Amino acid sequence: MIHLNLVREGQGPVVVLSHALGCDLHMWDGVAPLLARDFTVLRYDHRNHGRSDVVAGALTMQTLAQDAADLIAREAGGAPVHFVGLSMGGMTAQALALSHPQLLRSVVIANSASYYPDRAPWQARVETVQAQGIAAIAPGAVARWLTPEFAASAHGAALARQLHDTLVATDPQGYIAACQGVAAIDFRESNRKIALPTLVIAGARDEATPPAMSQEMVAAIPGAKLAAVEAAHLSAVERPAEFAQVLKDFFATL
């Protein structure tokens, strides 16, 4: 079994936080302490990211879902968990909700997608990383992750630097495998079979996964609710208090 780096905080019902492509569990630094007042918060690094194992070969969102399922079974004490995924973490959530519903109390899919009609930008990104390394794509990625005015603030600039450094430190081959796994997603039909309480969170200013992608997921998943956060792609980084409150409000309805 592969090693996944994990941080556990707080006490109460378990919430698992699953991060975006090219990030690590520190993406949740603003949200986790706010949730930990009422919940046990488990956040982890995906394989090929952060301090988790780098595993050679192809990667799918089903692979990441199985990693998450193994972690939940091992760490959550047997009760079903609230699973919160952002971007690639939200794709992991979509796969997990179908493959291991018994492990889940609810699903939150934030700043994510169920399908990419045009995979060419992903292929271009892979080719750039192959030729020039991750540093070549890092500034553009961080620029998509945060709104310009937030990134220009002192606090936002510090977070942008941290995100940049985390991305550049990611194993290039592991990152490429994750990019290809993200590009290949197609949950359009399988999402119709999700039978769990589901919240979809859109970033109102998200250019990487625009609000229309969130609306498509809400339309497909039976009973899914939609919430919006006034942020770009990494809404949990840019607006942690608002993001955490949206989660708490959703959990309170269950």
Side-chain angles (χ1 to χ4, degrees), residues 111 145-150 201-206 211 227-243 246:
N111 301 88
W145 287 349
L146 306 170
T147 60
E149 61 270 26
F150 179 73
I201 300 176
R205 297 177 59 189
D206 186 349
V229 175
E230 188 64 34
H233 189 54
L234 296 191
S235 58
V237 174
E238 188 162 345
R239 300 271 184 152
E242 189 178 335
F243 192 96
V246 167

Side-chain angles (χ1 to χ4, degrees), residues 1-4 6 8 67-78:
M1 186 173 294
I2 72 163
H3 167 72
L4 295 182
L6 175 77
R8 175 189 294 264
D67 287 348
D70 293 342
L71 180 138
I72 292 165
R74 193 168 62 245
E75 300 286 345

Side-chain angles (χ1 to χ4, degrees), residues 36-249:
R37 298 169 187 170
D38 304 293
F39 299 92
T40 299
V41 179
L42 302 179
R43 45 185 170 139
Y44 69 99
D45 294 335
H46 288 287
R47 66 168 65 200
N48 299 356
H49 289 73
R51 293 167 60 192
S52 289
D53 287 350
V54 176
V55 184
L59 179 157
T60 67
M61 296 305 105
Q62 286 71 25
T63 309
L64 298 187
Q66 187 60 53
D67 287 348
D70 293 342
L71 180 138
I72 292 165
R74 193 168 62 245
E75 300 286 345
V81 307
H82 302 290
F83 191 89
V84 181
L86 190 146
S87 193
M88 186 173 77
M91 298 164 194
T92 304
Q94 291 170 79
L96 184 65
L98 205 65
S99 62
H100 294 85
Q102 74 285 358
L103 297 176
L104 305 180
R105 174 74 183 86
S106 72
V107 178
V108 179
I109 304 163
N111 301 88
S112 197
S114 58
Y115 175 70
Y116 288 102
D118 179 11
R119 297 177 183 176
W122 289 106
Q123 185 56 34
R125 189 187 306 193
V126 164
E127 289 170 2
T128 301
V129 173
Q130 286 170 332
Q132 303 173 48
I134 292 182
I137 59 98
V142 176
R144 283 190 301 275
W145 287 349
L146 306 170
T147 60
E149 61 270 26
F150 179 73
S153 70
H155 176 59
L159 292 175
R161 280 194 298 274
Q162 182 182 335
L163 289 164
H164 177 276
D165 293 348
T166 298
L167 177 54
V168 171
T170 306
D171 178 82
Q173 293 309 312
Y175 178 80
I176 286 169
C179 273
Q180 292 168 330
V182 165
I185 61 166
D186 190 351
F187 297 112
R188 289 174 295 175
E189 288 305 316
S190 59
N191 275 353
R192 300 182 191 284
K193 301 173 190 168
I194 292 178
L196 293 158
T198 302
L199 174 68
V200 179
I201 300 176
R205 297 177 59 189
D206 186 349
E207 296 177 5
T209 51
M213 288 184 162
S214 292
Q215 290 157 2
E216 286 165 12
M217 287 185 281
V218 171
I221 298 169
K225 304 282 197 296
L226 178 67
V229 175
E230 188 64 34
H233 189 54
L234 296 191
S235 58
V237 174
E238 188 162 345
R239 300 271 184 152
E242 189 178 335
F243 192 96
Q245 193 58 52
V246 167
L247 295 181
K248 289 181 179 183
D249 291 348

